[in-house]
Amino acid sequence: MDASTAVSTDALRAAHERFMTARGVPPGLRSLVTDSWRRCAASGVPPDGSRLPPLRKSLEELSAYRRTHPLAEVLPLFRDLLGAGAADDGHVFAVGDADGTLLWVEGDAAAVRRAERMHFVEGALWSEAQAGTNAPGTALQVGRPVQVVTGEHYSSAAHGWSCAAAPVHDPGSGRVLGVVDLSGGATIATPPALAAVRAAALAAEAVLARAMTPSGPLLGPDGRVLYAGADGQAGGARLSALGRDSALLECGGRVHRLSPRHSEIVVALALEGRGVPGDRLAVDLSEREVPPSTLRAELTRLRAVLGPTVLGSRPYALLCPVRTDFGDVAALLAEGRVAEALERYEGPLLPRSEAPAVLEQRRSLEQQLRGAVLAGGDAALLRRWVTSAWGADDGAAWLALAHLLPGGSAQRAAAAARAHALAPARAVPPQVARHAAVLQRARS
C-alpha cells in the first residue's frame, strides 16, 4: 500500500466504527480491507479486541513441529534479510505456517514484548478467521503479499500496528508452505516494507527450489552457501559492465540484465572483492547519505533476483568468484598487452553512473588505457582510439596520430586538422588585446 493513498488514522477509526455498528461499506477503504472485514464478520471475530488469537501449541509441541517444518530450512535466510533489520529498526519479524500459526517471532526486544500483549507470539494462530484482518492471515487468505495499516485491522487490539506479509510457496507443487511478516510502526506502512517481504519470500522459494536439485547448494569452508553450477561444482559468474548502463551478470546458466542501481551495487561489490558492511557500501554508492533501510530494501530486491547463493549480507558480498570485463582489461594492461586490452574495452564503465566507486574505477581504467595507447606509438591503436565514441574528442590522441602518419598524406592532414580543432583556444596576450582595442577605436 502506497503511503500516498493511505487513509488517515482518524478516517480509519471512523470507518471501523461505522462498519461495526451499521455493517455499511465505508467509502475510501481498499477493497482488500472491506472484503476481509466482511469475512471476519461472517466468521464471528469480535472487532473490539476482546478475543485474542488462541495459542495452538505448547512450547514442546511447537519445538518439535518447527524442526520438521519446510520453512526451518530458510529461517537463516529470513533472519538475514529481515530479522536483523527488524531488530535495528524497532520492529518484529515473524514466520508462520500455512494455517497462520506463528512459528518464529523475533526482533526488537521492546517490540516483541509489546506484541505479546496482543498474543502475537510463537504458537499463536493468526489466521484471518481467528485474528481478524492482519497481514499474515490475510496474505494466506488471498494468496498474495499484502500490507495492513493501523485501523485497517479488524480487531482493535491491533490498531497500534502496521504489518506487511507475503506467502511462501513450495517450488515443486505450488502449495503454500507458510508466510513471512514484518510488523511495527509507521515505516512498515511504506512500499519498501512490502517489497522487502515479497523479495524475502521469493528468495526463500529460490533456495527451496535449489535444494530440490540433486546437487543442492555448495557450502564453503566457513559454512556459507556458495554458488553451485549445474554440475554441482563450484562455479563463477561473469559481469559485463563496460559501455552499458545495465550490466549483465551471467551465473548458473542464466543471464541477469540488472537495473542501473543494481548494476552499481554489483560492480561495487565486485570491486571490493570481499564482504563489506552496509555503511561502507552506502559510501561506495552515493556521496549523499543513504538511509540503512533504503539500502537494505534495495539489497533484498537484488537478492531476490540473483538468489541467496550469489548475494550474501551482513556483510554484503558476492558469494561466488566473479570475473569482470573491466578487470580483464586492467589485467591485460598490467601485462603490457595494450592491443588486446583495447579490443576488450567496450566503453566506459557504467557511463551514466555517478556512484563514487564506479566513477573512480571508470576514470582509472580509462586513464590507464588512454595512457598506454598514447605511449605505445602505434598508429593502428591510436586510430582505433580516436575513431571510438569515447576517444573521438581526444585532441592529444589525434595529434599523436598525425605525427605518426606519413608526411604529406591526406590522413595526416585530416588528423592534424582535427587535433587543431580540438585544441583549447590560446589566450590573447594583453599587449595584443590593447593594440587591437586602439585600432578599433581609430576605425570608429
Side-chain angles (χ1 to χ4, degrees):
M1 174 175 167
D2 192 319
S4 64
T5 61
V7 182
S8 70
T9 301
D10 290 341
L12 285 174
R13 186 180 298 111
H16 189 267
E17 292 176 358
R18 176 178 174 181
F19 184 85
M20 303 315 155
T21 55
R23 289 293 187 267
V25 178
L29 285 184
R30 296 180 293 155
S31 60
L32 171 78
V33 177
T34 54
D35 291 346
S36 175
W37 283 7
R38 289 193 184 97
R39 290 193 298 268
C40 295
S43 299
V45 180
D48 58 2
S50 59
R51 190 188 78 193
L52 297 178
L55 294 173
R56 288 189 63 185
K57 297 181 181 294
S58 67
L59 290 178
E60 285 188 6
E61 292 173 328
L62 183 64
S63 179
Y65 177 53
R66 292 191 304 195
R67 282 197 299 270
T68 59
H69 195 276
L71 293 186
E73 184 175 352
V74 291
L75 180 61
L77 170 67
F78 287 144
R79 284 174 172 157
D80 201 19
L81 295 179
L82 301 176
D88 292 342
D89 297 337
H91 303 317
V92 171
F93 139 75
V95 178
D97 69 6
D99 295 328
T101 300
L102 301 182
L103 304 180
W104 294 276
V105 178
E106 304 173 3
D108 175 70
V112 169
R113 288 193 298 271
R114 180 169 161 243
E116 289 173 353
R117 294 198 287 270
M118 61 175 184
H119 276 199
F120 196 82
V121 295
E122 295 172 351
L125 179 58
W126 273 76
S127 65
E128 194 180 74
Q130 290 292 331
T133 307
N134 69 92
T138 303
L140 290 171
Q141 179 69 36
V142 300
R144 60 182 173 85
V146 301
Q147 199 162 29
V148 178
V149 304
T150 60
E152 290 182 334
H153 289 89
Y154 187 81
S155 172
S156 60
H159 279 186
W161 293 79
S162 292
C163 47
V168 182
H169 298 85
D170 181 282
S173 66
R175 68 184 178 91
V176 174
L177 297 176
V179 65
V180 60
D181 168 83
L182 276 177
S183 295
T187 56
I188 301 299
T190 58
L194 183 59
V197 295
R198 180 188 287 117
L202 290 173
E205 291 169 1
V207 170
L208 293 172
R210 184 172 293 278
M212 294 170 62
T213 64
S215 59
L218 181 69
L219 300 181
D222 58 355
R224 299 186 73 179
V225 178
L226 299 175
Y227 171 78
D231 58 358
Q233 300 301 314
R238 171 74 180 172
L239 178 64
S240 302
L242 291 177
R244 56 174 66 247
D245 297 313
S246 295
L248 298 179
L249 184 66
E250 304 174 50
C251 59
R254 298 181 60 189
V255 178
H256 302 279
R257 182 179 295 275
L258 306 176
S259 70
R261 189 54 166 169
H262 286 170
S263 299
E264 292 175 333
I265 293 172
V266 173
V267 167
L269 291 175
L271 287 170
E272 290 284 357
R274 63 186 189 281
V276 292
D279 54 354
R280 169 63 184 272
L281 183 58
V283 171
D284 285 344
L285 296 174
S286 177
E287 292 183 346
R288 294 175 293 181
E289 184 175 354
V290 179
S293 58
T294 300
L295 183 62
R296 280 198 300 270
E298 200 66 67
L299 267 295
T300 298
R301 285 191 284 270
L302 177 57
R303 197 172 191 185
V305 173
L306 301 181
T309 59
V310 176
L311 179 63
S313 60
R314 300 181 74 84
Y316 297 114
L318 296 172
L319 300 180
C320 59
V322 179
R323 183 175 177 179
T324 67
D325 55 356
F326 51 89
D328 287 348
V329 172
L332 289 170
L333 288 173
E335 297 174 10
R337 298 157 65 183
V338 182
E340 293 175 67
L342 185 57
E343 182 70 28
R344 297 280 192 92
Y345 188 72
E346 298 291 339
L349 175 64
L350 299 182
R352 296 186 183 181
S353 171
E354 296 182 358
V358 176
L359 278 172
E360 180 180 354
Q361 178 65 16
R362 181 198 303 154
R363 291 168 181 162
S364 174
L365 185 61
E366 187 167 333
Q367 288 170 1
Q368 291 178 53
L369 182 59
R370 177 179 181 270
V373 170
L374 288 175
D378 187 321
L381 294 184
L382 279 165
R383 193 188 302 277
R384 283 166 56 188
W385 178 263
V386 297
T387 54
S388 67
W390 48 89
D393 294 330
D394 190 336
W398 279 107
L399 185 59
L401 176 61
H403 288 160
L404 291 172
L405 293 172
S409 68
Q411 292 87 350
R412 178 168 183 164
R418 180 62 176 161
H420 179 75
L422 292 170
R426 295 175 180 175
V428 179
Q431 63 273 24
V432 174
R434 286 196 299 270
H435 183 63
V438 169
L439 289 177
Q440 181 65 32
R441 286 197 298 270
R443 293 193 183 99
S444 60

